[in-house]
Amino acid sequence: MKNFSVAFLVFLGWCIIGFYFLNASDSLNRRSIFSSYLPPAQKVVLDFDDVDNSQSQNNLMKQELEDSNINSFVENNLARGNEQLIETLNKSIESKTLAIEKDRERLREAQLNTDSRKKNTVTRKVDYTFYPEFSIGGRVVDDYSSQDFLDYIKIRLEKKPNAKIKIIGYTDYVGSDIDNYKVAFKEAIQVRNYILVRLKIPESQVFAYSKGENDPIVLNTNESERKKNNRIEVIIE
């Protein structure tokens, strides 16, 4: 208990000394402690009457001009970007369309070649295969190239005067199937007319047909082979 009393008295003494020091230095006054760090009152309050109105308007106009330039720049870049995108898409569509057309042509050729292989295994009943040459712009059959063909028809008609003669035109696969059908039919009609004029037989005995690019006799692999498919086949019944 004696030790506690001594310690308490020492503590109390230090408290008295500290309080005396604070009071002597005027540290208990808050305003005296922070007064040197506070700005003057007039510096805290903004005086709007001193603001330059013209300078403010200039700043606002400058800001609006900058915003307008930015918007114009963005719009121009968007428009330019759309034009480039459209051009790129158009080129892509054109290239893909061309690729599709090429693929279709290759597919068509492959199908024709496949059909040719299948048909080569089937016996074809053809009496005469004729490769006519045309003169005067392709309007009539050339006599020199068709003499053997004409002689063959004469011999068959001598044996069977009332025989029916079928003239069937063919082409290769180059071009559209519709155009090829028309070309083959036109050539078949020319050969029919040639037979009617030269042999003086009734029109009811000779008939013209077209199979266009169908039923090729050889594969359409190269130009020399394809020419063999441009022909006239004659069937006499």
Side-chain angles (χ1 to χ4, degrees):
M1 188 68 181
K2 182 180 180 180
N3 293 332
F4 174 78
S5 300
V6 173
F8 179 75
L9 291 174
V10 172
F11 172 76
L12 184 60
W14 279 110
C15 288
I16 294 171
I17 294 172
F19 181 77
Y20 176 78
F21 173 79
L22 291 174
N23 187 45
S25 61
D26 202 18
S27 296
L28 294 177
N29 190 347
R30 287 178 169 267
R31 186 169 183 177
S32 64
I33 295 174
F34 301 101
S35 60
S36 60
Y37 299 98
L38 289 176
Q42 63 272 18
K43 294 183 179 179
V44 176
V45 180
L46 294 176
D47 188 2
F48 290 98
D49 294 335
D50 295 334
V51 177
D52 190 353
N53 291 330
S54 63
Q55 184 65 31
S56 177
Q57 291 177 357
N58 290 336
N59 291 337
L60 290 174
M61 293 178 62
K62 182 178 180 181
Q63 183 64 39
E64 291 178 357
L65 181 61
E66 290 178 354
D67 293 341
S68 176
N69 291 336
I70 291 173
N71 292 334
S72 176
F73 175 78
V74 172
E75 291 176 358
N76 290 337
N77 279 283
L78 286 176
R80 191 180 300 111
N82 288 336
E83 292 176 356
Q84 292 176 350
L85 177 61
I86 292 172
E87 182 179 358
T88 301
L89 290 176
N90 284 333
K91 289 181 179 179
S92 177
I93 291 172
E94 290 177 359
S95 62
K96 289 180 179 179
T97 301
L98 181 60
I100 290 173
E101 292 299 327
K102 289 181 179 179
D103 289 340
R104 284 178 179 172
E105 187 63 23
R106 286 195 290 266
L107 176 61
R108 187 161 164 247
E109 181 179 359
Q111 289 174 338
L112 287 171
N113 290 337
T114 301
D115 293 341
S116 177
R117 292 189 183 95
K118 291 179 181 179
K119 293 181 182 299
N120 283 338
T121 61
V122 179
T123 302
R124 299 172 61 87
K125 183 185 179 302
V126 178
D127 293 299
Y128 194 94
T129 300
F130 179 37
Y131 293 91
E133 294 182 9
F134 299 95
S135 60
I136 313 178
R139 289 179 297 198
V140 296
V141 179
D142 181 64
D143 283 337
Y144 180 79
S145 63
S146 61
Q147 190 60 50
D148 291 341
F149 166 70
L150 201 62
D151 291 342
Y152 176 82
I153 301 296
K154 287 180 182 179
I155 293 172
R156 292 296 301 269
L157 289 178
E158 288 174 358
K159 296 179 181 180
K160 192 177 181 180
N162 296 322
K164 303 296 183 183
I165 303 173
K166 294 181 178 180
I167 309 298
I168 308 172
Y170 294 88
T171 67
D172 58 27
Y173 81 100
V174 177
S176 69
D177 53 351
I178 296 177
D179 290 341
N180 287 336
Y181 178 88
K182 292 179 180 179
V183 169
F185 187 60
K186 179 181 178 182
E187 292 182 352
I189 290 176
Q190 289 172 321
V191 173
R192 174 183 182 271
N193 293 335
Y194 176 74
I195 293 174
L196 292 174
V197 171
R198 294 302 303 272
L199 299 181
K200 309 295 183 184
I201 60 177
E203 293 186 3
S204 59
Q205 276 189 258
V206 188
F207 304 88
Y209 304 92
S210 172
K211 288 193 175 181
E213 62 188 39
N214 296 321
D215 300 339
I217 59 176
V218 295
L219 300 180
N220 289 288
T221 54
N222 55 62
E223 184 176 358
S224 61
E225 289 294 314
R226 286 199 303 268
K227 288 181 179 180
K228 296 179 182 179
N229 291 325
N230 293 299
R231 67 197 187 279
I232 295 291
E233 288 185 351
V234 180
I235 299 175
I236 301 176
E237 299 175 340

